[in-house]
Every structure is written in structure tokens, then in C-alpha cells.
Amino acid sequence: MIYFDNSATTRPYEEVLETYTKVAHDFFGNPSSLHPAGKQAERLMNQTREMAARLLDVKAKEILFTSGGTEGNNLALKGTAVRHRSRGKHLITSEAEHPSSFETFQQLEQEGFEVTWLPVNKDGVISLVDLKEAVREDTILVSLIHVNNELGSVNPVKEAGNFLKQFPKILFHVDHVQGIGKVPLRIKDSGIDFCTVSGHKFHGVKGTGLLFAREGIVLSPLFSGGKQEHQLRAGTENPAGAAALVKAMRIHFERSAEGNRKLFSLTDELIASLQEIEGIAVNTSANRAPHIVNFSVPGVKPEVLVSAYGEKGMYVSTKSACSSKEPEPSRVLSACGFNRDRAASGIRVSLSYENTDSEIRTFLHYTKEIVPSLLEVVSK
């Protein structure tokens, strides 16, 4: 199997699974319980939170463990909007966000908030000029994805955060799910109030994640019925999931410098070769993260190509896993200005540190064979 769908999910590291299993077995007490087993689990949660904070260079009280990216984004966005609507009801985001943010903003629009949708250029990146012009007296929240989940393009979140520092009533959220470890981002130096991370995107287990929430920020929780996670996430804590998340993050960071150099080398080779194949249009730009390459084969349905790759044991995707079963053209590629044929035929190849040059060559060899063949069929 050649697995090139690592932006959808990654295979958990063996060490991560061992940590999860050991903690689930040895620290099974409810951290909210008052007996020794509960206290033992609570101490482990506290230690895990401190380790996460050290890895991100933030404070332990600024770490909230969640179930993943969707929850983190929803909590930051809805929690801010609901809590601070007395200050204003204007929100700013971009047209190329992940569905977990995009659809949350659509829901908030339906509930009476006004959203400014920043356009993106052909690379999928916002303009700081557009952001500056969009800010109003009643703006309470700006949210941007750092690394686009379909294209791999990189938004200027540090520059945006530094600009927003002059507006203390505007909170700034960054969806860092695809960027963590792949594109440098110092949370403390970037004017960020909220930052979403998901464990299974870097070889953790599914159902794990965290939200950085800057000290002193007040949010409305999504759930009611408990005071866990600084009173912002009701429900029994998941010590095994949290420990596994932090284990995966530590390994991910340790491997990132060498791993990212390798990924850039592999994806440079991939992009250069794809550009030479007639019928293929590469959508990913030079301003990109190391692990995502998006290309289109106009005229060929992407599910046909995904299926053809799958029959050869090569796994790629069309767009975000959260919207891959929707028949419409990619919203992100459409926002970049690509025509319908190109936006409707996007293929995402997303790598991890585990992938090899041999896998890239095998993928390219088959692509050079299958794409002309499919184009010949559709042209008849």
C-alpha cells in the first residue's frame, strides 16, 4: 500500500498506541473522582497538560484537551461569538477554510452574526490589505486556516496576528491542524488567542486534540454538565487520549526538521513530474507546506482517478475528507478562481514522514499511464 492521504488521517505511531494502551489500563479512573484512582488520573492529566504546554511554549492553563480539529474550531468560533456578541456581531474569515470552520460561520450567519468572507488569490491565500479593510468597530473575531487542507498553501497568520494586536477587542483564531510541525508558528509571538490542533493528523489517535486558549480569554462552552477543562468542556476527561496526543506531538516535533526537508524534496519531485504530464494542471503553488500537492485532470471525474489509484494500492483523496463525498466542485479550488472543470477534478496527494522516494516514483509511473488512458476514454 502507498498511503498518500495523510491530511485526512495518519497511521498512529507504535509508541503512541503503547502509551494509549498503558494509560487506558493503568490510569482508568475518572479524573474528577475523589478517590485515589481518580486522583491518580487527575495528576496524569495535569502532567500531560504541562508537557503539551512546554512543547507549544505556552502555559499549561492555556491548554484544553478536545476530541480533535472540528471540536476545537467550533469551540473557539461559537464560544467567542456567543460570549462576546454584546461587543459586536461582526466576524471575519476566508472563503477557503476547512468545513469545520466554514460551516460554523455559515451557522453563525443564520443566527444573526455578520461574516466578512475574505477572498483568496489563485494560491488560496488571503490578502492582508483585504483583512485590514475588513476590520470594523464591531468586529469581535478573525479566524484563518494556517495551512490549507486541500492545497497546502500557507496563510500569513503571523502577520495577521501582529496587525490585530492593535485591536484588543478582536480575538484571533488559527486553525493549525495541517500546519503543526510542518510550517513554523510560534503561538506566543503571533498575536494568536486560539489555536486548534488535532492528534490524528500527526500519527496520534483519532478523537484527540487540543485548543490553545490564551490566558484571560473567556469563552462560552459548547457543552453543559460539568466543570472539566477549565470549565470550558463538560464531560469526562480522556487521560489516555491526551497522553497519546502529547506523545505523538513530541515525536512529530523531534522528526520535523529532517522530515520536512525530505517532504519538500519528495513533493518538489512530484510537482515537477506532474507538470510534465499532458492533461494535468498542478494547483498547489510555490508558497506551500511540505506535505500537500493538489492537481487536477480536467475532464476526468476525481472519484474515477481515486478508484483507479486505489486498485493499484495507492490511496489519495479528492478534497477534504469532511466533504469528499459531496459531488460539487471543490469550494476551495473554486474560491481560487479555477474554472469548474478544474475545480471539479482536483486530486490531493498528502504525505507524511513515512513516505519514500520509491513510492513517489511508483505513483508517478502509474499516473503517466492512467491519465492519458482516461483522457482518451472521455474524449471519445
Side-chain angles (χ1 to χ4, degrees):
M1 176 179 73
I2 297 176
Y3 186 76
F4 284 163
D5 196 17
N6 290 282
S7 288
T9 196
T10 55
R11 186 200 301 272
Y13 290 133
E14 288 295 330
E15 303 96 311
V16 169
L17 293 176
E18 289 170 5
T19 294
Y20 183 91
T21 302
K22 180 173 179 55
V23 173
H25 182 272
D26 295 350
F27 298 83
F28 67 89
N30 187 325
S32 297
S33 296
L34 298 178
H35 51 64
K39 292 295 182 186
Q40 182 190 37
E42 182 184 33
R43 282 195 295 275
L44 181 73
M45 284 294 293
N46 292 337
Q47 292 167 1
T48 303
R49 199 181 311 278
E50 290 170 1
M51 292 171 64
R54 282 198 295 273
L55 287 170
L56 296 174
D57 194 20
V58 300
K59 298 176 182 177
K61 63 178 67 173
E62 296 175 320
I63 298 292
L64 283 78
F65 289 112
T66 67
S67 64
T70 296
E71 185 188 338
N73 286 345
N74 271 261
L75 176 56
L77 305 182
K78 293 178 182 173
T80 297
V82 171
R83 181 73 185 193
H84 300 289
R85 60 183 153 194
S86 62
R87 296 202 313 232
K89 302 183 79 170
H90 180 235
L91 317 171
I92 299 173
T93 189
S94 85
E95 295 177 341
E97 298 298 303
H98 183 273
S100 60
S101 291
F102 190 88
E103 294 177 18
T104 298
F105 277 106
Q106 287 183 315
Q107 182 182 354
L108 290 168
E109 272 189 318
Q110 294 169 1
E111 294 175 5
F113 290 89
E114 184 180 352
V115 178
T116 294
W117 301 91
L118 299 175
V120 294
N121 63 18
K122 65 178 179 55
D123 299 333
V125 176
I126 66 144
S127 156
L128 288 173
V129 173
D130 289 340
L131 171 62
K132 292 174 182 177
E133 291 177 351
V135 169
R136 310 186 325 206
E137 286 190 2
D138 61 340
T139 304
I140 59 172
L141 172 68
V142 175
S143 177
L144 294 173
I145 194 168
H146 187 202
V147 172
N148 187 276
N149 55 295
E150 290 190 33
L151 284 167
S153 48
V154 182
N155 262 324
V157 296
K158 182 176 181 180
E159 292 81 357
N162 286 333
F163 162 70
L164 293 169
K165 286 178 181 176
Q166 63 187 296
F167 305 99
K169 292 184 179 179
I170 299 177
L171 299 179
F172 183 38
H173 166 253
V174 173
D175 176 350
H176 196 32
V177 167
Q178 293 293 341
I180 185 165
K182 302 290 181 28
V183 178
L185 178 66
R186 282 183 55 81
I187 295 174
K188 285 173 62 176
D189 297 342
S190 304
I192 295 171
D193 298 297
F194 306 108
C195 187
T196 299
V197 171
S198 177
H200 74 108
K201 305 295 189 182
F202 49 86
H203 305 280
V205 297
K206 295 176 182 62
T208 65
L210 66 81
L211 177 70
F212 161 81
R214 185 169 58 80
E215 182 180 16
I217 298 293
V218 183
L219 281 173
S220 286
L222 297 177
F223 312 139
S224 301
K227 298 184 182 303
Q228 294 89 347
E229 295 299 309
H230 315 315
Q231 303 186 40
L232 289 173
R233 185 177 190 264
T236 303
E237 296 105 323
N238 180 5
L245 167 77
V246 173
K247 181 83 167 188
M249 189 158 58
R250 183 177 63 77
I251 297 172
H252 185 59
F253 285 174
E254 288 174 352
R255 298 181 180 179
S256 64
E258 180 181 350
N260 290 338
R261 282 194 293 274
K262 172 186 169 186
L263 285 178
F264 270 123
S265 174
L266 293 177
T267 50
D268 282 347
E269 176 188 353
L270 177 60
I271 289 172
S273 297
L274 288 173
Q275 287 172 330
E276 294 177 352
I277 301 175
E278 189 173 349
I280 286 183
V282 175
N283 302 318
T284 295
S285 72
N287 170 29
R288 64 182 181 86
H291 61 304
I292 299 175
V293 174
N294 188 299
F295 66 93
S296 294
V297 186
V300 175
K301 292 183 177 179
E303 58 269 29
V304 173
L305 197 48
V306 169
S307 177
Y309 283 127
E311 289 176 3
K312 296 293 183 180
M314 293 177 264
Y315 300 150
V316 298
S317 64
T318 52
K319 41 194 173 183
S320 161
C322 295
S323 57
S324 63
K325 295 182 180 178
E326 297 173 358
E328 295 81 10
S330 161
R331 171 176 51 78
V332 171
L333 295 184
S334 297
C336 295
F338 296 123
N339 64 35
R340 183 178 179 83
D341 274 356
R342 190 159 166 177
S345 59
I347 298 290
R348 181 181 68 181
V349 179
S350 51
L351 279 60
S352 78
Y353 301 150
E354 310 291 300
N355 291 123
T356 66
D357 186 56
S358 172
E359 291 176 330
I360 291 291
R361 288 197 297 270
T362 300
F363 177 79
L364 284 168
H365 179 78
Y366 183 61
T367 301
K368 292 174 183 175
E369 174 186 321
I370 189 64
V371 167
S373 174
L374 290 174
L375 286 172
E376 183 178 350
V377 170
V378 298
S379 67
K380 290 181 179 177

